[in-house]
Amino acid sequence: MTPAARVQAAIEILDLVIAAARSNGAPADRIIADWFRTRRFAGSKDRRAVRELAYAAIRACGPVPPSGRAALLRLAENDPNLAALFDGQGHGPAPIRDGEPVAVGGVAPAWLEAALAESGIAGDAALALLDRAPLDLRVNTLKADRATLELPETAVPTVAPTGLRLPHGTNVESWEAYQSGQIEVQDTGSQLACAALAAQPGELVVDLCAGAGGKTLALAAEMADRGRLIASDTDRARLSRLEPRAVRAGVSIIETRLLDTGREGAALADLAGSVDAVLVDAPCSGTGTWRRNPEARWRLTPDQLARYAAIQARLLDLAATLLRPGGRLGFVTCSLLDAEGAGQAAAFLARHPGWQALPLALGAGEPRGPGLRLSPHGDGTDGFFIACFAKPC
């Protein structure tokens, strides 16, 4: 592909991404993969260049752009070499016309930028949400030790006790250490969220919103694969991915339970009042993950944010019923918005007199209400709110 043809390809892909964002369709990475699957003429360098161009355009636009071309023109405004490729030659894009629409910049749609600012995320802290994320690993202590683990490339230890960091795009899945279960891909912030629960060997622990099980596996390692660890979720497809991951990691204590949306308590009724610790990694807006999914900020609406907050409150109240007296409740969202963090945690404590917020010493994060908030700008991690509560005895 010529450089101009790559620009046109990025425009076509962006049109699909924009349409999907407006209709809650497929994520950008799947759209890009599907686009190239039917275009075998594109080589590996072409695919890489087009993907980089598309994501650069997504990051450059705050609100949803009117079109893929408008998004690329946003980049071209500050890049004369890119603007020169709009020449109409061959498979390249048509020449730039005077006055044609150019996408608006910024961090996010205006209402969402305002919500972030009200939550203390503005300026450089907001811009950092659109940086490229590094690749973080968690060393699986059931099979390896960070101090002695040998990898094909040099990795830098992170603040997480078992964390390592590599450059974005490192192909760790081909490494023997990954295939043998010695390492897992997991953001440092996510690792610290698991550590906050302080799961112990021999305990009964519930990962209430387990998804594909990344945090579940981290909890199993914290527990030295001793005790009982229940991974539950309402998404059958995601939960089904946990079993092969657990086998690779050498974990044997996990029991999965599929939950019914809105009736989660029914599948967990036998555990009421007996659990030592519950992790509620609640569904949320994902504002802390924009470095990896920048088009996600085009999908969120105020109504969706309110629905997420309501789900979080309901799940926290459910988790409270599962715990024994003195048990621990870990609350985590990958969000930087107070409505899904400090405000949500404070509301939980107000609804549950006698409960206490436990102090957290994670080596990262800043105090925010009854918990800690991690951010790309301040901590180099994805954005997280983390709190841990103790049930009264």
Side-chain angles (χ1 to χ4, degrees):
M1 297 176 71
T2 66
R6 290 173 175 175
V7 175
Q8 181 58 36
I11 289 173
E12 294 175 14
I13 288 171
L14 285 165
D15 282 332
L16 297 173
V17 171
I18 292 165
R22 289 173 172 156
S23 63
N24 200 28
D29 57 352
R30 190 187 309 165
I31 289 171
I32 293 172
D34 289 346
W35 195 90
F36 281 117
R37 193 173 292 117
T38 59
R39 292 161 176 82
R40 300 294 184 182
F41 58 83
S44 60
K45 291 183 179 179
D46 295 322
R47 292 193 296 271
R48 187 179 306 111
V50 171
R51 180 184 178 89
E52 293 290 331
L53 197 55
Y55 271 108
I58 291 171
R59 288 184 170 91
C61 303
V64 182
S67 66
R69 181 178 172 91
L72 258 296
L73 289 178
R74 173 74 190 173
L75 287 182
E77 279 190 327
N78 299 310
D79 186 343
N81 293 326
L82 177 59
L85 297 176
F86 285 76
D87 58 7
Q89 299 298 312
H91 297 285
I96 300 172
R97 305 182 306 275
D98 290 341
E100 72 172 298
V102 177
V104 176
V107 172
W111 77 269
L112 191 45
E113 277 199 27
L116 286 167
E118 290 171 4
S119 300
I121 302 296
D124 290 344
L127 291 172
L129 302 182
L130 299 179
D131 288 342
R132 295 292 295 270
L135 178 71
D136 286 356
L137 305 177
R138 176 181 60 82
V139 178
N140 177 13
T141 53
L142 300 177
K143 290 191 170 187
D145 183 276
R146 183 170 73 172
T148 58
L149 178 66
E150 295 186 1
L151 298 174
E153 297 184 25
T154 301
V156 178
T158 72
V159 68
T162 56
L164 292 171
R165 177 160 294 173
L166 289 157
H168 171 84
T170 306
N171 184 23
V172 299
E173 293 185 4
S174 65
W175 295 357
E176 192 279 333
Y178 178 86
Q179 295 172 357
S180 64
Q182 296 179 77
I183 56 173
E184 289 281 345
V185 175
Q186 187 177 18
D187 181 75
T188 292
S190 179
Q191 296 179 47
L192 293 175
C194 295
L197 191 64
Q200 301 298 310
E203 287 189 325
L204 170 56
V205 177
V206 174
D207 185 355
L208 190 59
C209 311
K215 291 184 177 67
T216 311
L217 295 176
L219 292 173
E222 293 272 353
M223 297 167 68
D225 201 36
R226 300 202 304 271
R228 188 179 177 198
L229 178 54
I230 296 172
S232 58
D233 203 272
T234 59
D235 190 325
R236 183 188 299 273
R238 294 188 70 198
L239 197 58
S240 68
R241 298 175 203 155
L242 176 53
E243 183 178 358
R245 296 180 70 187
V247 171
R248 189 177 71 240
V251 173
S252 63
I253 63 170
I254 296 174
E255 168 190 334
T256 60
R257 295 196 186 187
L258 183 65
L259 306 181
D260 223 355
T261 301
R263 301 183 62 253
E264 293 90 348
L268 301 168
D270 60 308
L271 303 175
S274 65
V275 177
D276 295 297
V278 179
L279 178 66
V280 180
D281 178 18
C284 71
S285 64
T287 53
T289 66
W290 288 350
R291 298 187 305 171
R292 306 172 194 281
N293 306 295
E295 89 279 7
R297 66 202 203 280
W298 297 344
R299 297 169 179 264
L300 188 64
T301 67
D303 286 345
Q304 287 172 328
L305 179 59
R307 286 195 292 272
Y308 281 129
I311 291 170
Q312 292 155 17
R314 181 171 60 80
L315 292 175
L316 283 170
D317 290 344
L318 168 61
T321 69
L322 301 178
L323 287 166
R324 62 166 176 79
R328 309 178 308 283
L329 197 170
F331 172 51
V332 179
T333 56
C334 49
S335 174
L336 293 162
L337 297 171
D338 284 342
E340 302 180 293
Q344 187 71 260
F348 173 82
L349 291 174
R351 293 195 305 273
H352 297 271
W355 286 65
Q356 299 291 325
L358 297 175
L360 298 177
L362 303 179
E366 61 175 1
R368 192 77 181 174
L372 290 176
R373 186 169 67 186
L374 280 67
S375 70
H377 183 253
D379 305 288
T381 68
D382 284 351
F384 281 95
F385 178 82
I386 304 170
C388 194
F389 312 117
K391 187 172 185 176
C393 295

